[in-house]
Amino acid sequence: MPGRRRLPRALPHERDVPAPALQGLLDGLDASGLEVHSLMVVVRGAVVAEGWWAPYAPQIPHALFSLSKSFTSAAVGFAEAAGLLSVDDLVLTHLPDDAPPGASAADGPLSHLRLRHLLTMTTGHHDDPSDAVFATDHWARAFLATPVEHEPGTHFVYNTAATYLLSVIVQKVTGQRVLDYLTPRLLEPLGIEGATWEQSPQGVDTGGFGMSLTTEDIACFGALLLADGVWDGRQVLPVGWVAEATRAHGPSVNDNPDWQQGYGYQFWRGRHGSFRGDGAFGQFCVVLPEEETVVAITAGTMDMQGVLDQVWEHLLPAVRGGVPAAGGEEAEAALRLRLDALAIAPPAGEADGAVGEAWAGRQIALEPNRHGIEWVRFMPAEGRTLVEVHGPDGTTTVEAGRGAWLEGHVPLPAGRAHAGEPGRVEPVVAALAWPEPTTAVLTVRLVQTPFALTARAAFGEAGVTVEVDVNAAFGPTHVDTLRGRATD
């Protein structure tokens, strides 16, 4: 069962960790306004603190985004140990059919590109080509057709498409997609069940993103890395791979201090002697070797540095022994209650429903918009509200709880067909409230991802204005302003 326990549990004092320091970490995350979905702290082999902010839960997998890269790195390590490839191999040796005409025979930067350059993000591209590559129908060919301006190995630029190429090569030399190749070698030994990975149009695991795991899965991976690839007395990862993959192979370029400490084989070096795999919007597997500590986090925040800052401020001194023990059993009991009660509140408000009743069941035609949404309709029911949205993919109905999260599903947009099987649905929770007599707020959380969408509808005599925002995005978090009026 996904999310089942595999790591030992211990009370904080059994690992010399003061419970108030863990409370301080929770306080710091809350005070900073950081949306965290889960947290697991493992010290010297045992979990001393774990919590999920409801509606997120231990058994629910979470999209890892670029934390997926570290698992692709492991696949390369296994393939090298099996003699199927070498990190010093030339890329074009493995992918001659995907190269531009004449590239294999040319004496240019592309012909010098090796697997280790893909691993270390030193492909020679001046700018990250990933967006342009993923907008095409054939990602590997698009990547190899992108001009390489610098000699490989001399210029760092974060490059998710480079990781995809590693996935292509692993699949080619093993005859298996990366997920299937890792299953008996890494996932099964760690007890990881139900892992998924998005795929490209060619049926190749996306490599640099797209993997989904539970929080305990992430923590187990971190514990394996901390133990130099050994799990339960067995050498799981190839001997020496962890040290090679997590050392800095060169400088890294970023505005944030924990992204300026160097880059390994799909792992970041961090401050305080740490290394980590991480993914957009706050997915973390942080390893502190000197402190024998692993921190696993899932989140939906734009401020990833802010999350690490709280770890360094509150947790680091505690696991280093720099904070005196305090509080005893009472403090640990309070921590447990706090962790058990973590939650992200649904929209709140119980204003007079007269306006809502006047609009209930009426089709609200929207002005033309870039999303192709033609109309919406909402219908109050016992303890919930049914919200219908009609767009390019037909009509989707979301059941929203009244002052509480209500579980449901929505279909994936047709444009994400490569993310899984056609017709796949996405688990969600939704809630709706009336904070003001003329204002309704609907929030929909895609609980297997970092994302939540909030629509704030203002009703007036002239019609309805809906402001749509998301909690996290690669671009602006304000999605759109929609306007409409009732047609019946």
Side-chain angles (χ1 to χ4, degrees), residues 159-199:
N159 189 334
T160 297
T163 314
Y164 171 71
L165 219 62
L166 291 169
S167 181
V168 174
I169 292 169
V170 169
Q171 181 163 321
K172 185 171 182 180
V173 300
T174 66
Q176 295 179 288
R177 56 184 293 207
V178 168
L179 182 62
D180 292 338
Y181 185 62
L182 285 178
T183 295
R185 294 165 177 82
L186 176 67
L187 306 187
E188 288 180 352
L190 296 185
I192 295 175
E193 301 173 350
T196 60
W197 211 316
E198 295 181 21
Q199 294 183 291

Side-chain angles (χ1 to χ4, degrees), residues 472-484:
F474 288 109
T477 55
H478 179 66
V479 178
D480 212 341
T481 300
L482 307 177
R483 294 179 172 83

Side-chain angles (χ1 to χ4, degrees), residues 90-93 102-114 148 151-152:
L90 292 169
V91 169
L92 294 184
T93 300
S104 298
D107 185 21
L110 179 62
S111 67
H112 304 159
L113 182 63
R114 300 181 185 275
V148 178
E151 182 64 21

Side-chain angles (χ1 to χ4, degrees), residues 69-363:
K69 291 178 170 70
S70 299
F71 289 85
T72 301
S73 172
V76 174
F78 283 120
E80 182 172 56
L84 300 175
L85 56 76
S86 165
V87 298
D88 289 316
D89 287 349
L90 292 169
V91 169
L92 294 184
T93 300
H94 288 284
L95 302 175
D97 295 338
D98 293 327
S104 298
D107 185 21
L110 179 62
S111 67
H112 304 159
L113 182 63
R114 300 181 185 275
L115 270 62
R116 72 166 59 252
H117 301 136
L118 301 176
L119 285 164
T120 58
M121 302 293 187
T122 56
T123 59
H125 296 99
H126 186 75
D127 298 308
D128 180 10
S130 299
D131 287 347
V133 167
F134 297 147
T136 69
D137 293 330
H138 199 295
W139 297 357
R141 291 176 185 170
F143 180 91
L144 295 174
T146 303
V148 178
E149 297 92 341
H150 304 274
E151 182 64 21
T154 65
H155 179 77
F156 175 90
V157 66
Y158 196 70
N159 189 334
T160 297
T163 314
Y164 171 71
L165 219 62
L166 291 169
S167 181
V168 174
I169 292 169
V170 169
Q171 181 163 321
K172 185 171 182 180
V173 300
T174 66
Q176 295 179 288
R177 56 184 293 207
V178 168
L179 182 62
D180 292 338
Y181 185 62
L182 285 178
T183 295
R185 294 165 177 82
L186 176 67
L187 306 187
E188 288 180 352
L190 296 185
I192 295 175
E193 301 173 350
T196 60
W197 211 316
E198 295 181 21
Q199 294 183 291
S200 73
Q202 282 67 51
V204 177
D205 290 351
T206 48
F209 63 96
M211 194 181 196
S212 292
L213 297 174
T214 67
T215 311
E216 184 135 352
D217 295 337
I218 298 169
C220 288
F221 184 55
L224 177 73
L225 297 169
L226 180 62
D228 199 23
V230 175
W231 179 265
D232 198 22
R234 171 189 169 190
Q235 186 72 46
V236 173
L237 289 170
V239 174
W241 179 259
V242 174
E244 183 67 7
T246 62
R247 73 175 178 87
H249 285 260
S252 54
V253 181
N254 194 279
D255 293 335
N256 295 307
D258 275 293
W259 282 260
Q260 296 172 356
Q261 310 302 314
Y263 196 75
Y265 288 171
Q266 310 287 286
F267 288 91
W268 292 94
R269 294 297 306 182
R271 290 181 292 171
H272 310 295
S274 67
F275 66 83
R276 69 186 185 281
D278 69 37
F281 313 119
Q283 323 319 312
F284 286 106
C285 179
V286 181
V287 180
L288 288 156
E290 293 182 8
E291 291 74 25
E292 299 179 81
T293 295
V294 173
V295 184
I297 294 173
T298 63
T301 178
M302 302 280 279
D303 185 8
M304 292 178 64
Q305 182 63 64
V307 175
L308 290 177
D309 287 345
Q310 295 303 319
V311 171
W312 305 146
E313 180 178 350
H314 299 284
L315 182 61
L316 181 63
V319 296
R320 281 184 169 174
V323 178
E329 293 182 4
E330 184 177 340
E332 291 188 342
L335 173 65
R336 183 69 265 160
L337 289 173
R338 171 85 175 273
L339 290 166
D340 288 344
L342 294 171
I344 297 175
E350 298 181 2
D352 184 351
V355 173
E357 292 170 2
W359 286 82
R362 303 177 72 184
Q363 190 175 100

